[in-house]
């Protein structure tokens, strides 16, 4: 099973899949014929993983609605039994090609080399739409999965529907609220610098300093 890298939370193994050319991440935890995914993508490695786990029961959580973070959702729904969780705002935008950025995805790479631009055009030539999430929430949602405790917290700024995901108070999945430790881009559709400063930054600053 090809993977980009692996990690462990408590006694559960997780895998990380990188989506080129924008280098966004999909994470998947696996235990007892169940998969919990955080964001989904269509890299060759993640598609192979989905095929290998098509018989498993999936829970997929989405940090926000941008195409590079939801691009694997339709594939998972077609091949697997999947329960999808997202904020109300993100869920509403899954099917909106302008708001999920798929309508102009290639424009993000206009300053890159021609090979990268061609790859971006080939990934989503006609835009991308997905049905709303099965479970939608506002503010905060908490649940347990195979002994791991998850807190989903609304952190608007990058998009109105952005969330951060805290697992066992030790691992933080921020989507694009933080990118390589730096604050989010808030100038794209749905972004808000004032929301980021009001909601996201205080939450990020409240997290355990030793969290991964």
């Amino acid at each position: 099973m090809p993977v980009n890298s692996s990690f462990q939370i408590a006694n559960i193994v997780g895998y990380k899949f990188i989506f080129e050319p924008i280098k966004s991440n999909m994470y998947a935890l696996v235990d007892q014929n169940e998969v919990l995914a955080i964001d989904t993508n269509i890299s060759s490695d993640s598609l192979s993983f989905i095929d290998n786990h098509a018989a498993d029961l999936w829970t997929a959580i989405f940090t926000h609605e941008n195409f590079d973070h939801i691009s694997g959702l339709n594939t998972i729904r077609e091949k697997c039994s999947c329960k999808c969780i997202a904020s109300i705002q993100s869920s509403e935008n899954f099917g909106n090609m302008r708001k999920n950025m798929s309508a102009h995805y290639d424009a993000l790479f206009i300053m890159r080399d021609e090979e990268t631009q061609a790859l971006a055009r080939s990934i989503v030539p006609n835009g991308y739409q997905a049905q709303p999430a099965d479970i939608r929430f506002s503010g905060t949602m908490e649940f347990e999965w195979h002994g791991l405790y998850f807190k989903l917290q609304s952190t608007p700024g990058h998009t109105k529907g952005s969330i951060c995901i805290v697992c066992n108070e030790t691992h933080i999945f921020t989507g694009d609220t933080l990118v390589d430790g730096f604050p989010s881009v808030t100038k794209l559709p749905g972004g808000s610098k004032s929301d980021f400063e009001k909601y996201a930054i205080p939450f990020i600053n409240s997290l355990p300093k030793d969290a991964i």
Side-chain angles (χ1 to χ4, degrees):
M1 176 180 62
V3 295
N4 295 113
S5 64
S6 61
F7 60 95
Q8 190 160 336
I9 304 178
N11 63 336
I12 294 180
V13 175
Y15 304 96
K16 174 182 174 181
F17 305 92
I18 300 173
F19 182 49
E20 300 288 355
I22 204 166
K23 298 189 184 302
S24 58
N25 299 320
M26 167 181 167
Y27 301 92
L29 300 167
V30 182
D31 190 51
Q32 299 177 12
N33 297 319
E34 292 194 29
V35 176
L36 185 143
I38 296 174
D39 292 340
T40 63
N41 65 41
I42 50 172
S43 70
S44 59
D45 289 350
S46 64
L47 291 175
S48 175
F49 177 87
I50 292 167
D51 284 339
N52 289 336
H53 290 273
D56 292 354
L57 179 64
W58 284 65
T59 300
I61 312 169
F62 293 89
T63 60
H64 62 296
E65 66 270 28
N66 285 357
F67 165 72
D68 53 311
H69 291 260
I70 69 169
S71 63
L73 175 55
N74 288 342
T75 301
I76 291 171
R77 280 176 161 165
E78 290 168 4
K79 296 186 175 184
C80 313
S81 176
C82 177
K83 175 176 63 179
C84 170
I85 304 172
S87 70
I88 291 172
Q89 296 90 337
S90 285
S91 176
E92 290 174 349
N93 293 333
F94 281 2
N96 187 313
M97 292 187 291
R98 184 183 67 83
K99 292 185 177 180
N100 71 25
M101 297 291 292
S102 65
H104 36 77
Y105 180 70
D106 58 337
L108 298 174
F109 306 94
I110 195 167
M111 301 303 293
R112 303 279 289 275
D113 60 84
E114 179 55 38
E115 182 179 356
T116 300
Q117 292 183 51
L119 174 60
R121 288 192 295 270
S122 70
I123 289 171
V124 55
N126 301 307
Y128 181 88
Q129 294 176 295
Q131 292 298 309
D134 305 294
I135 298 174
R136 300 171 286 276
F137 74 96
S138 178
T140 303
M141 175 179 172
E142 298 183 14
F143 68 95
E144 182 268 341
W145 183 87
H146 289 247
L148 302 181
Y149 295 91
F150 288 86
K151 178 179 180 180
L152 317 184
Q153 177 63 48
S154 174
T155 51
H158 181 65
T159 70
K160 290 186 181 301
S162 290
I163 69 169
C164 287
I165 300 164
V166 182
C167 178
N168 275 18
E169 296 292 325
T170 59
H171 289 71
I172 317 298
F173 302 89
T174 63
D176 285 344
T177 295
L178 287 177
V179 181
D180 293 331
F182 292 96
S184 176
V185 174
T186 58
K187 295 181 179 180
L188 297 174
S192 169
K193 183 178 180 181
S194 61
D195 280 351
F196 184 78
E197 293 174 344
K198 182 177 180 180
Y199 300 105
I201 289 180
F203 177 74
I204 291 166
N205 288 339
S206 73
L207 297 173
K209 301 305 179 185
D210 58 349
I212 300 172

